């Protein structure tokens, strides 16, 4: 505003010198300023607003045609919520992992994108992700996208046993949880029903990243004695390794202590 006023003053002074106009400079400049300000003000305000609005950064992402749609994920969540059998020890997450295990997962971002929906979905350890239930995303059947080439990552839902914040799992509860998980898997689809027909819960599998090394996980008996669990098996995810605990044939006493938090807990079905 001050710069505009000075400009008007210079114009008035120039007119006086060249044309010999006799009028009060201040009054003329005020009139000229009153005329120019309304014309210049929208541009000034627009420039200020453009400077004030932070620039958003959009991550280029692609949709993998082999992945499930948001509606499919939404349906799976609702199915488990309405499941009539006991499920208090069960959780449902979704997981990504690279087909090439040598590929770095650093900087991987996972998005839910629709006509009106656009949100980043944060990862839990092991590229597990919790899918939110959003009415708008369901109606427009939003897509899951990743900032990697299509076809380079697997993506699927994973049923598992809930993690305990304190890392302590009584064996008696683990057996109950394992049977709940087996029931959910059998009732989930014909594929799993055929896969697990005639099988029983024989133990628990604690999954860890292969890159972690040897996790610290122990069995503590009723007398307080600790025994390290070190029986490792390959996981079906290939990028993980499992630590096994087999249920005893006698009474379920003692507890499992996970000093190293697992990515997930599954059942050993035989």
């Amino acid at each position: 505003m001050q710069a505009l006023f000075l400009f008007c003053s210079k114009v008035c002074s120039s007119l006086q010198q060249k044309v010999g106009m006799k009028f009060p400079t201040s009054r003329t400049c005020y009139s000229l300023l009153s005329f120019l300000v309304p014309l210049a003000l929208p541009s000034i305000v627009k420039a200020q607003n453009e400077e004030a609005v932070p620039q958003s950064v959009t991550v280029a992402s692609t949709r993998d045609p082999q992945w499930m749609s948001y509606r499919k994920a939404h349906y799976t969540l609702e199915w488990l919520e309405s499941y009539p059998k006991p499920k208090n020890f069960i959780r449902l997450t979704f997981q990504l992992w690279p087909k090439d295990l040598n590929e770095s997962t650093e900087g991987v971002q996972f998005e839910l994108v629709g006509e009106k929906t656009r949100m980043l979905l944060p990862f839990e350890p092991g590229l597990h992700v919790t899918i939110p239930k959003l009415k708008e995303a369901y109606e427009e059947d939003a897509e899951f996208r990743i900032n990697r080439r299509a076809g380079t990552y697997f993506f699927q839902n994973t049923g598992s046993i809930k993690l305990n914040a304190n890392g302590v799992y009584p064996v008696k509860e683990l057996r109950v949880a394992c049977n709940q998980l087996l029931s959910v898997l059998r009732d989930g689809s014909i594929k799993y029903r055929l896969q697990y027909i005639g099988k029983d819960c024989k133990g628990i599998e604690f999954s860890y990243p292969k890159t972690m090394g040897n996790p610290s996980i122990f069995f503590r008996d009723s007398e307080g004695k600790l025994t390290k669990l070190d029986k490792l098996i390959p996981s079906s995810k290939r990028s993980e390794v499992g630590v096994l605990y087999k249920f005893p044939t006698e009474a379920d006493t003692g507890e499992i202590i996970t000093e190293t938090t697992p990515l997930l807990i599954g059942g050993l079905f035989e």
Side-chain angles (χ1 to χ4, degrees):
M1 188 72 70
Q2 183 178 4
L4 190 57
F5 183 82
L6 292 174
F7 171 76
C8 294
S9 298
K10 289 181 180 180
V11 172
C12 291
S13 298
S14 178
L15 288 173
Q16 284 182 323
Q17 293 174 3
K18 293 183 179 181
V19 185
M21 296 178 65
K22 305 297 182 181
F23 50 77
T25 302
S26 59
R27 182 178 178 183
T28 303
C29 288
Y30 178 81
S31 300
L32 186 57
L33 184 62
S34 300
F35 173 74
L36 291 177
V37 167
L39 297 177
L41 192 57
S43 298
I44 295 173
V45 172
K46 180 180 179 182
Q48 291 177 340
N49 288 340
E50 289 177 348
E51 291 179 359
V53 176
Q55 298 298 315
S56 60
V57 179
T58 301
V59 179
S61 58
T62 56
R63 173 185 175 273
D64 192 320
Q66 295 182 346
W67 288 357
M68 71 183 77
S69 67
Y70 177 78
R71 284 183 181 170
K72 175 63 176 178
H74 190 281
Y75 168 80
T76 304
L77 291 168
E78 287 197 327
W79 179 86
L80 184 60
E81 285 183 3
S82 61
Y83 187 65
K85 298 179 183 179
K87 56 179 184 293
N88 55 302
F89 287 111
I90 306 305
R91 73 168 184 157
L92 177 65
T93 59
F94 296 78
Q95 185 185 22
L96 291 97
W97 70 96
K99 295 180 180 179
D100 180 2
L101 298 183
N102 295 319
E103 179 178 338
S104 172
T105 59
E106 184 177 355
V108 172
Q109 292 189 342
F110 191 53
E111 287 186 294
L112 179 61
V113 180
E115 183 178 347
K116 298 179 181 178
T117 305
R118 191 176 192 93
M119 62 184 301
L120 281 175
L121 302 178
F123 288 118
E124 300 172 19
L127 296 187
H128 287 268
V129 62
T130 300
I131 303 299
K133 290 181 62 178
L134 303 172
K135 180 180 178 182
E136 187 173 79
Y138 178 85
E139 291 176 347
E140 61 186 12
D141 198 13
E143 300 174 346
F144 296 113
R145 297 185 183 181
I146 190 174
N147 59 338
R148 293 291 191 272
R149 298 188 315 276
T152 58
Y153 273 71
F154 293 106
F155 174 57
Q156 68 177 35
N157 57 287
T158 301
S160 62
I161 295 170
K162 289 181 179 178
L163 301 178
N164 289 344
N166 62 1
V168 179
Y169 301 87
V171 173
K172 185 178 294 186
E173 288 186 1
L174 284 175
R175 189 186 287 272
V176 173
C178 184
N179 281 300
Q180 286 186 8
L181 180 59
L182 180 58
S183 176
V184 167
L185 291 173
R186 280 177 174 164
D187 295 342
S189 68
I190 296 179
K191 171 187 173 182
Y192 286 128
R193 190 173 304 171
L194 295 175
Q195 182 177 345
Y196 294 109
I197 190 171
K199 293 187 177 183
D200 296 316
C201 287
K202 298 298 184 180
I204 293 295
E205 179 183 339
F206 299 85
S207 293
Y208 293 92
K210 282 185 177 179
T211 56
M212 175 177 288
N214 197 10
S216 295
I217 178 170
F218 303 88
F219 169 71
R220 182 165 60 191
D221 64 20
S222 56
E223 297 179 356
K225 179 183 176 181
L226 290 176
T227 303
K228 194 174 191 303
L229 301 181
D230 53 8
K231 185 176 181 180
L232 304 180
I233 63 169
S235 172
S236 59
K237 304 286 191 306
R238 295 192 305 153
S239 60
E240 300 173 6
V241 64
V243 178
L244 285 183
Y245 170 76
K246 287 201 171 185
F247 293 127
T249 54
E250 60 274 10
D252 292 330
T253 59
E255 53 195 11
I256 305 298
I257 312 296
T258 56
E259 292 184 356
T260 306
T261 304
L263 298 176
L264 58 84
I265 304 174
L268 176 62
F269 309 117
E270 294 177 345

